[in-house]
Amino acid sequence: MGHRTPLYQKHLDANARIVDFGGWDMPIQYQSLIEEHHAVRQHAGMFDVSHMTVVDVNGADAKAWLQYLLANDVDRLKETGKALYSAMLNADGGVVDDLIVYRRQEGYRLVVNCGTRDKDLAWMQQHAKGFQVSITYRPELAILAVHGPESIDKVCSLLAPDVAASVQALGNFKALESGTWFIARTGYTGERGLELIIPSEDAPALWDKLLTIGVRPIGLGARDTLRLEAGMNLYGHDMNESVSPIAANMIQTIAWEPASRQFIGRAAVEKHRAQQEAGELPCLTGLVMEERGVLREGLRVVCTVNGQEREGVITSGTFSPTLKHSIALARIPVGSTDCHVDIRGKLIPVRIVKPNFVRFGAKVFE
Amino acid sequence: MSSFPEGLKYAATHEWVRVESDGSVTVGITDHAQELLGDIVFIELPKLGADVSAKQEISVVESVKAASDIYAPISGKIVAINDALLDSPEIVNSSPYGDGWFCRIVPSDKSELDELLDANGYAEICE
């Protein structure tokens, strides 16, 4: 038996198929992955993501420490509630994890991945020496993500009128706190929506109320097809400790200025940036295959760079329920053209596109 | 729970076989197989007219989650294929033993049928 979230019984009640996910018993799907996917693109769906890791950071040096720990700069969080996506790098410029950091009234809240919990917490402790900072893991909190065009209205219909008005007015990548509830306009689907970080004991009742007003439970299977359509990276697949953020389409999340800010991995990723400009480091891009078949993680990509045959690899691939053909993220040489994917020995042509396929229910690439 | 209809024969690789009155056999994949695969999005159908041997790959099923080879449960000639699966592969999810059939084979050696499992035997290996 794995770890279980406070909503485990609710998943069983909704006929979930439960799988092991990083040591947690989590719902992979309820009835149909594709129907769940469409429910989020067209209406509203809810995901139990309580397996993810909430870490609160406080103390006099909280800001200075995060400026050292993260490749993005928390100085960009000019107001309370603002959120930032960042990589946490090792000294070689590999990605220890990717995370969201929110600025709070006092201190910061980080949400990091599930499978990386132990190593992340150890990494943070190890690099906190000399900083006046407290790092608090918050396992007593549940996280419910509610996404889709109708999601915000549905959640707001359950909130007190004044809180609902504030949530309706909340900008993208911003959060507010109401009592013990932390409500953020962030997510992993490419749709409007909220992530609610709440005490575990509040989660089952909220789930039931959302179910009653037509918010559909969504499993981890559709969470993956939704995030891939949105072109969002998945840790451990599209990047890991041996992959530079520069080779994982994360260059925009590195704050290079001020040049005086010494964050962990800075020297390495500066070198990687120069290597990529020289064509020596690959890039992460989107692939589209309109023929029948499905692109899968690990498949070999064959492409041409300056007349020479070169290779790359698919890091995430799926069938896109919205587009009705296959899409993938792939790490390939910079300047690649004439791309093919080796599917069971056959080289199938694919198109290279920006790694962003679907936003707000619609196709976004040419 | 998966269903295992009586009267069908089953291969351990999750195909079913129904013997028709004309001596041909209809082949599909089991309810258990479609459940494991989840939403099916593409099917590469067996080749009409092909002579196949038992345990030979005859088809590929792609679901959102995985690609899976389908094997001939019996040797013989493929005399019919279910074209409807090309445009509507999800029929295999909704009706694995009915409209979701894959092909019909005229067996070259009927004794091979005896090597297949009955419903109970197949249900046991699915546990």
Side-chain angles (χ1 to χ4, degrees), chain B residues 3-18 28-32 73 97 113 115-123 125-126:
Chain B
S3 79
F4 307 97
E6 298 288 340
L8 301 182
K9 293 279 198 176
Y10 297 87
T13 46
H14 307 293
E15 296 84 12
W16 57 262
V17 166
R18 186 175 60 230
I29 68 168
T30 66
D31 189 32
H32 182 71
Y97 299 114
L113 283 169
E115 293 164 28
L116 298 171
L117 301 159
D118 64 11
N120 282 334
Y122 176 65
I125 67 161
C126 291

mmCIF file of all heavy atoms in Angstrom, chain B residues 3-18 28-32 73 97 113 115-123 125-126:
data_model
loop_
_atom_site.group_PDB
_atom_site.id
_atom_site.type_symbol
_atom_site.label_atom_id
_atom_site.label_comp_id
_atom_site.label_asym_id
_atom_site.label_seq_id
_atom_site.Cartn_x
_atom_site.Cartn_y
_atom_site.Cartn_z
ATOM 1 N N SER B 3 -15.229 -8.872 -18.351
ATOM 2 C CA SER B 3 -16.102 -10.007 -18.628
ATOM 3 C C SER B 3 -15.361 -11.043 -19.480
ATOM 4 O O SER B 3 -14.497 -10.698 -20.299
ATOM 5 C CB SER B 3 -17.394 -9.538 -19.293
ATOM 6 O OG SER B 3 -17.187 -9.291 -20.651
ATOM 7 N N PHE B 4 -15.714 -12.308 -19.229
ATOM 8 C CA PHE B 4 -15.083 -13.443 -19.915
ATOM 9 C C PHE B 4 -16.193 -14.356 -20.425
ATOM 10 O O PHE B 4 -16.518 -15.353 -19.777
ATOM 11 C CB PHE B 4 -14.193 -14.229 -18.928
ATOM 12 C CG PHE B 4 -13.182 -13.387 -18.198
ATOM 13 C CD1 PHE B 4 -13.442 -12.916 -16.918
ATOM 14 C CD2 PHE B 4 -11.974 -13.079 -18.797
ATOM 15 C CE1 PHE B 4 -12.502 -12.135 -16.247
ATOM 16 C CE2 PHE B 4 -11.030 -12.296 -18.124
ATOM 17 C CZ PHE B 4 -11.301 -11.828 -16.851
ATOM 18 N N PRO B 5 -16.801 -14.026 -21.572
ATOM 19 C CA PRO B 5 -17.951 -14.828 -22.018
ATOM 20 C C PRO B 5 -17.581 -16.295 -22.217
ATOM 21 O O PRO B 5 -16.504 -16.616 -22.709
ATOM 22 C CB PRO B 5 -18.321 -14.180 -23.352
ATOM 23 C CG PRO B 5 -17.719 -12.834 -23.334
ATOM 24 C CD PRO B 5 -16.492 -12.921 -22.477
ATOM 25 N N GLU B 6 -18.544 -17.162 -21.804
ATOM 26 C CA GLU B 6 -18.413 -18.596 -22.077
ATOM 27 C C GLU B 6 -18.583 -18.819 -23.577
ATOM 28 O O GLU B 6 -19.170 -17.989 -24.270
ATOM 29 C CB GLU B 6 -19.525 -19.378 -21.345
ATOM 30 C CG GLU B 6 -19.488 -19.271 -19.833
ATOM 31 C CD GLU B 6 -18.323 -20.049 -19.208
ATOM 32 O OE1 GLU B 6 -17.793 -20.965 -19.905
ATOM 33 O OE2 GLU B 6 -17.952 -19.730 -18.068
ATOM 34 N N GLY B 7 -18.047 -19.913 -24.069
ATOM 35 C CA GLY B 7 -18.262 -20.249 -25.482
ATOM 36 C C GLY B 7 -17.194 -19.683 -26.392
ATOM 37 O O GLY B 7 -17.131 -20.038 -27.570
ATOM 38 N N LEU B 8 -16.360 -18.777 -25.872
ATOM 39 C CA LEU B 8 -15.232 -18.271 -26.661
ATOM 40 C C LEU B 8 -13.967 -19.010 -26.233
ATOM 41 O O LEU B 8 -13.885 -19.553 -25.142
ATOM 42 C CB LEU B 8 -15.040 -16.772 -26.436
ATOM 43 C CG LEU B 8 -16.203 -15.847 -26.778
ATOM 44 C CD1 LEU B 8 -15.806 -14.393 -26.529
ATOM 45 C CD2 LEU B 8 -16.655 -16.033 -28.219
ATOM 46 N N LYS B 9 -12.972 -18.994 -27.114
ATOM 47 C CA LYS B 9 -11.640 -19.494 -26.769
ATOM 48 C C LYS B 9 -10.729 -18.275 -26.604
ATOM 49 O O LYS B 9 -10.948 -17.239 -27.246
ATOM 50 C CB LYS B 9 -11.097 -20.382 -27.896
ATOM 51 C CG LYS B 9 -11.874 -21.675 -28.077
ATOM 52 C CD LYS B 9 -11.414 -22.682 -27.056
ATOM 53 C CE LYS B 9 -11.818 -24.097 -27.438
ATOM 54 N NZ LYS B 9 -11.277 -25.066 -26.473
ATOM 55 N N TYR B 10 -9.725 -18.425 -25.757
ATOM 56 C CA TYR B 10 -8.878 -17.267 -25.452
ATOM 57 C C TYR B 10 -7.396 -17.616 -25.582
ATOM 58 O O TYR B 10 -6.982 -18.719 -25.208
ATOM 59 C CB TYR B 10 -9.128 -16.804 -24.018
ATOM 60 C CG TYR B 10 -10.543 -16.327 -23.769
ATOM 61 C CD1 TYR B 10 -11.537 -17.224 -23.402
ATOM 62 C CD2 TYR B 10 -10.868 -14.986 -23.924
ATOM 63 C CE1 TYR B 10 -12.841 -16.797 -23.175
ATOM 64 C CE2 TYR B 10 -12.160 -14.547 -23.691
ATOM 65 C CZ TYR B 10 -13.147 -15.459 -23.318
ATOM 66 O OH TYR B 10 -14.428 -15.023 -23.099
ATOM 67 N N ALA B 11 -6.611 -16.651 -26.081
ATOM 68 C CA ALA B 11 -5.155 -16.795 -26.078
ATOM 69 C C ALA B 11 -4.607 -16.063 -24.849
ATOM 70 O O ALA B 11 -5.178 -15.055 -24.418
ATOM 71 C CB ALA B 11 -4.555 -16.183 -27.343
ATOM 72 N N ALA B 12 -3.489 -16.550 -24.326
ATOM 73 C CA ALA B 12 -2.890 -15.910 -23.150
ATOM 74 C C ALA B 12 -2.445 -14.486 -23.473
ATOM 75 O O ALA B 12 -2.244 -13.662 -22.584
ATOM 76 C CB ALA B 12 -1.701 -16.724 -22.653
ATOM 77 N N THR B 13 -2.302 -14.168 -24.777
ATOM 78 C CA THR B 13 -1.910 -12.825 -25.200
ATOM 79 C C THR B 13 -3.135 -11.909 -25.366
ATOM 80 O O THR B 13 -3.049 -10.870 -26.019
ATOM 81 C CB THR B 13 -1.114 -12.900 -26.511
ATOM 82 O OG1 THR B 13 -1.806 -13.780 -27.417
ATOM 83 C CG2 THR B 13 0.291 -13.440 -26.276
ATOM 84 N N HIS B 14 -4.291 -12.327 -24.826
ATOM 85 C CA HIS B 14 -5.481 -11.477 -24.693
ATOM 86 C C HIS B 14 -6.305 -11.305 -25.966
ATOM 87 O O HIS B 14 -7.013 -10.310 -26.120
ATOM 88 C CB HIS B 14 -5.117 -10.109 -24.088
ATOM 89 C CG HIS B 14 -4.361 -10.208 -22.807
ATOM 90 N ND1 HIS B 14 -4.910 -10.705 -21.639
ATOM 91 C CD2 HIS B 14 -3.072 -9.934 -22.516
ATOM 92 C CE1 HIS B 14 -4.001 -10.703 -20.684
ATOM 93 N NE2 HIS B 14 -2.864 -10.252 -21.192
ATOM 94 N N GLU B 15 -6.212 -12.293 -26.885
ATOM 95 C CA GLU B 15 -7.147 -12.312 -28.010
ATOM 96 C C GLU B 15 -8.238 -13.343 -27.715
ATOM 97 O O GLU B 15 -8.004 -14.305 -26.993
ATOM 98 C CB GLU B 15 -6.444 -12.698 -29.324
ATOM 99 C CG GLU B 15 -5.388 -11.706 -29.788
ATOM 100 C CD GLU B 15 -4.041 -11.927 -29.120
ATOM 101 O OE1 GLU B 15 -3.854 -12.977 -28.466
ATOM 102 O OE2 GLU B 15 -3.162 -11.037 -29.227
ATOM 103 N N TRP B 16 -9.441 -13.121 -28.292
ATOM 104 C CA TRP B 16 -10.497 -14.131 -28.188
ATOM 105 C C TRP B 16 -10.791 -14.674 -29.578
ATOM 106 O O TRP B 16 -10.515 -14.013 -30.599
ATOM 107 C CB TRP B 16 -11.770 -13.594 -27.528
ATOM 108 C CG TRP B 16 -12.388 -12.388 -28.191
ATOM 109 C CD1 TRP B 16 -12.225 -11.099 -27.816
ATOM 110 C CD2 TRP B 16 -13.272 -12.361 -29.330
ATOM 111 N NE1 TRP B 16 -12.929 -10.259 -28.646
ATOM 112 C CE2 TRP B 16 -13.591 -11.023 -29.585
ATOM 113 C CE3 TRP B 16 -13.823 -13.335 -30.152
ATOM 114 C CZ2 TRP B 16 -14.431 -10.617 -30.633
ATOM 115 C CZ3 TRP B 16 -14.664 -12.945 -31.203
ATOM 116 C CH2 TRP B 16 -14.958 -11.599 -31.429
ATOM 117 N N VAL B 17 -11.396 -15.873 -29.601
ATOM 118 C CA VAL B 17 -11.733 -16.560 -30.849
ATOM 119 C C VAL B 17 -13.152 -17.114 -30.713
ATOM 120 O O VAL B 17 -13.482 -17.715 -29.691
ATOM 121 C CB VAL B 17 -10.743 -17.738 -31.068
ATOM 122 C CG1 VAL B 17 -11.259 -18.674 -32.143
ATOM 123 C CG2 VAL B 17 -9.354 -17.220 -31.420
ATOM 124 N N ARG B 18 -13.972 -16.864 -31.726
ATOM 125 C CA ARG B 18 -15.306 -17.489 -31.740
ATOM 126 C C ARG B 18 -15.417 -18.334 -33.012
ATOM 127 O O ARG B 18 -15.177 -17.832 -34.109
ATOM 128 C CB ARG B 18 -16.397 -16.417 -31.731
ATOM 129 C CG ARG B 18 -17.812 -16.992 -31.601
ATOM 130 C CD ARG B 18 -18.883 -15.905 -31.462
ATOM 131 N NE ARG B 18 -18.879 -15.036 -32.629
ATOM 132 C CZ ARG B 18 -18.836 -13.700 -32.579
ATOM 133 N NH1 ARG B 18 -18.785 -13.066 -31.430
ATOM 134 N NH2 ARG B 18 -18.827 -12.991 -33.697
ATOM 135 N N GLY B 28 -10.865 -11.160 -31.889
ATOM 136 C CA GLY B 28 -10.859 -9.799 -31.347
ATOM 137 C C GLY B 28 -9.953 -9.753 -30.128
ATOM 138 O O GLY B 28 -9.232 -10.715 -29.847
ATOM 139 N N ILE B 29 -9.962 -8.623 -29.408
ATOM 140 C CA ILE B 29 -9.202 -8.574 -28.159
ATOM 141 C C ILE B 29 -10.187 -8.540 -26.993
ATOM 142 O O ILE B 29 -11.318 -8.075 -27.132
ATOM 143 C CB ILE B 29 -8.196 -7.393 -28.086
ATOM 144 C CG1 ILE B 29 -8.900 -6.034 -28.019
ATOM 145 C CG2 ILE B 29 -7.225 -7.458 -29.266
ATOM 146 C CD1 ILE B 29 -7.961 -4.882 -27.643
ATOM 147 N N THR B 30 -9.729 -9.020 -25.852
ATOM 148 C CA THR B 30 -10.657 -9.232 -24.741
ATOM 149 C C THR B 30 -10.991 -7.927 -24.017
ATOM 150 O O THR B 30 -10.298 -6.916 -24.149
ATOM 151 C CB THR B 30 -10.056 -10.215 -23.717
ATOM 152 O OG1 THR B 30 -8.902 -9.598 -23.123
ATOM 153 C CG2 THR B 30 -9.660 -11.534 -24.375
ATOM 154 N N ASP B 31 -12.053 -8.030 -23.232
ATOM 155 C CA ASP B 31 -12.470 -6.914 -22.391
ATOM 156 C C ASP B 31 -11.328 -6.521 -21.445
ATOM 157 O O ASP B 31 -11.043 -5.334 -21.245
ATOM 158 C CB ASP B 31 -13.696 -7.365 -21.590
ATOM 159 C CG ASP B 31 -14.351 -6.220 -20.847
ATOM 160 O OD1 ASP B 31 -14.306 -5.083 -21.347
ATOM 161 O OD2 ASP B 31 -14.901 -6.462 -19.757
ATOM 162 N N HIS B 32 -10.656 -7.527 -20.911
ATOM 163 C CA HIS B 32 -9.526 -7.273 -20.017
ATOM 164 C C HIS B 32 -8.433 -6.477 -20.751
ATOM 165 O O HIS B 32 -7.875 -5.512 -20.212
ATOM 166 C CB HIS B 32 -8.968 -8.606 -19.512
ATOM 167 C CG HIS B 32 -7.830 -8.473 -18.549
ATOM 168 N ND1 HIS B 32 -7.996 -8.008 -17.271
ATOM 169 C CD2 HIS B 32 -6.499 -8.732 -18.700
ATOM 170 C CE1 HIS B 32 -6.817 -7.992 -16.664
ATOM 171 N NE2 HIS B 32 -5.895 -8.420 -17.507
ATOM 172 N N PRO B 73 -4.353 -15.849 -33.019
ATOM 173 C CA PRO B 73 -4.509 -16.934 -32.056
ATOM 174 C C PRO B 73 -4.464 -18.308 -32.723
ATOM 175 O O PRO B 73 -4.342 -19.325 -32.057
ATOM 176 C CB PRO B 73 -5.880 -16.677 -31.437
ATOM 177 C CG PRO B 73 -6.578 -15.748 -32.361
ATOM 178 C CD PRO B 73 -5.583 -15.069 -33.227
ATOM 179 N N TYR B 97 -16.290 -7.719 -27.611
ATOM 180 C CA TYR B 97 -16.697 -9.045 -28.103
ATOM 181 C C TYR B 97 -17.741 -8.951 -29.224
ATOM 182 O O TYR B 97 -18.161 -9.951 -29.761
ATOM 183 C CB TYR B 97 -17.277 -9.881 -26.964
ATOM 184 C CG TYR B 97 -16.294 -10.125 -25.844
ATOM 185 C CD1 TYR B 97 -16.511 -9.590 -24.575
ATOM 186 C CD2 TYR B 97 -15.142 -10.888 -26.052
ATOM 187 C CE1 TYR B 97 -15.607 -9.813 -23.539
ATOM 188 C CE2 TYR B 97 -14.231 -11.103 -25.029
ATOM 189 C CZ TYR B 97 -14.466 -10.563 -23.777
ATOM 190 O OH TYR B 97 -13.579 -10.782 -22.763
ATOM 191 N N LEU B 113 -7.080 -24.997 -32.076
ATOM 192 C CA LEU B 113 -8.114 -24.454 -31.180
ATOM 193 C C LEU B 113 -8.021 -25.079 -29.785
ATOM 194 O O LEU B 113 -8.323 -24.420 -28.784
ATOM 195 C CB LEU B 113 -9.509 -24.726 -31.756
ATOM 196 C CG LEU B 113 -9.971 -23.832 -32.907
ATOM 197 C CD1 LEU B 113 -11.241 -24.391 -33.524
ATOM 198 C CD2 LEU B 113 -10.198 -22.402 -32.419
ATOM 199 N N GLU B 115 -5.495 -25.770 -28.169
ATOM 200 C CA GLU B 115 -4.415 -25.205 -27.356
ATOM 201 C C GLU B 115 -4.824 -23.901 -26.680
ATOM 202 O O GLU B 115 -4.095 -23.377 -25.834
ATOM 203 C CB GLU B 115 -3.165 -24.954 -28.231
ATOM 204 C CG GLU B 115 -2.543 -26.255 -28.729
ATOM 205 C CD GLU B 115 -1.573 -26.027 -29.880
ATOM 206 O OE1 GLU B 115 -0.971 -24.933 -29.952
ATOM 207 O OE2 GLU B 115 -1.440 -26.941 -30.714
ATOM 208 N N LEU B 116 -5.973 -23.357 -27.091
ATOM 209 C CA LEU B 116 -6.425 -22.088 -26.495
ATOM 210 C C LEU B 116 -7.142 -22.346 -25.173
ATOM 211 O O LEU B 116 -7.532 -23.469 -24.858
ATOM 212 C CB LEU B 116 -7.340 -21.363 -27.482
ATOM 213 C CG LEU B 116 -6.654 -20.971 -28.802
ATOM 214 C CD1 LEU B 116 -7.687 -20.446 -29.807
ATOM 215 C CD2 LEU B 116 -5.563 -19.932 -28.567
ATOM 216 N N LEU B 117 -7.313 -21.282 -24.384
ATOM 217 C CA LEU B 117 -7.926 -21.398 -23.057
ATOM 218 C C LEU B 117 -9.437 -21.258 -23.151
ATOM 219 O O LEU B 117 -9.957 -20.612 -24.081
ATOM 220 C CB LEU B 117 -7.382 -20.276 -22.156
ATOM 221 C CG LEU B 117 -5.870 -20.250 -21.945
ATOM 222 C CD1 LEU B 117 -5.417 -18.866 -21.495
ATOM 223 C CD2 LEU B 117 -5.469 -21.303 -20.917
ATOM 224 N N ASP B 118 -10.137 -21.832 -22.176
ATOM 225 C CA ASP B 118 -11.573 -21.531 -22.069
ATOM 226 C C ASP B 118 -11.734 -20.317 -21.139
ATOM 227 O O ASP B 118 -10.750 -19.771 -20.630
ATOM 228 C CB ASP B 118 -12.356 -22.762 -21.597
ATOM 229 C CG ASP B 118 -11.959 -23.203 -20.193
ATOM 230 O OD1 ASP B 118 -11.239 -22.439 -19.501
ATOM 231 O OD2 ASP B 118 -12.367 -24.310 -19.790
ATOM 232 N N ALA B 119 -12.999 -19.902 -20.948
ATOM 233 C CA ALA B 119 -13.250 -18.661 -20.192
ATOM 234 C C ALA B 119 -12.640 -18.712 -18.796
ATOM 235 O O ALA B 119 -12.014 -17.745 -18.338
ATOM 236 C CB ALA B 119 -14.755 -18.391 -20.124
ATOM 237 N N ASN B 120 -12.803 -19.851 -18.117
ATOM 238 C CA ASN B 120 -12.262 -19.964 -16.754
ATOM 239 C C ASN B 120 -10.741 -19.896 -16.742
ATOM 240 O O ASN B 120 -10.141 -19.225 -15.905
ATOM 241 C CB ASN B 120 -12.704 -21.277 -16.108
ATOM 242 C CG ASN B 120 -14.131 -21.183 -15.625
ATOM 243 O OD1 ASN B 120 -14.615 -20.085 -15.330
ATOM 244 N ND2 ASN B 120 -14.808 -22.314 -15.570
ATOM 245 N N GLY B 121 -10.140 -20.622 -17.698
ATOM 246 C CA GLY B 121 -8.677 -20.658 -17.767
ATOM 247 C C GLY B 121 -8.109 -19.275 -18.036
ATOM 248 O O GLY B 121 -7.095 -18.872 -17.445
ATOM 249 N N TYR B 122 -8.790 -18.530 -18.914
ATOM 250 C CA TYR B 122 -8.303 -17.189 -19.237
ATOM 251 C C TYR B 122 -8.522 -16.244 -18.056
ATOM 252 O O TYR B 122 -7.635 -15.448 -17.703
ATOM 253 C CB TYR B 122 -8.990 -16.665 -20.500
ATOM 254 C CG TYR B 122 -8.583 -15.244 -20.822
ATOM 255 C CD1 TYR B 122 -7.266 -14.942 -21.170
ATOM 256 C CD2 TYR B 122 -9.503 -14.199 -20.755
ATOM 257 C CE1 TYR B 122 -6.871 -13.638 -21.436
ATOM 258 C CE2 TYR B 122 -9.123 -12.895 -21.026
ATOM 259 C CZ TYR B 122 -7.810 -12.618 -21.367
ATOM 260 O OH TYR B 122 -7.428 -11.325 -21.622
ATOM 261 N N ALA B 123 -9.684 -16.341 -17.424
ATOM 262 C CA ALA B 123 -9.974 -15.468 -16.268
ATOM 263 C C ALA B 123 -8.910 -15.659 -15.189
ATOM 264 O O ALA B 123 -8.499 -14.704 -14.527
ATOM 265 C CB ALA B 123 -11.368 -15.770 -15.713
ATOM 266 N N ILE B 125 -5.706 -16.423 -15.549
ATOM 267 C CA ILE B 125 -4.425 -15.755 -15.813
ATOM 268 C C ILE B 125 -4.553 -14.229 -15.749
ATOM 269 O O ILE B 125 -3.556 -13.524 -15.676
ATOM 270 C CB ILE B 125 -3.778 -16.190 -17.157
ATOM 271 C CG1 ILE B 125 -4.602 -15.719 -18.342
ATOM 272 C CG2 ILE B 125 -3.518 -17.670 -17.210
ATOM 273 C CD1 ILE B 125 -3.801 -15.709 -19.639
ATOM 274 N N CYS B 126 -5.786 -13.731 -15.775
ATOM 275 C CA CYS B 126 -5.974 -12.271 -15.713
ATOM 276 C C CYS B 126 -5.997 -11.756 -14.274
ATOM 277 O O CYS B 126 -6.023 -10.550 -14.043
ATOM 278 C CB CYS B 126 -7.268 -11.868 -16.412
ATOM 279 S SG CYS B 126 -7.156 -12.101 -18.194
#
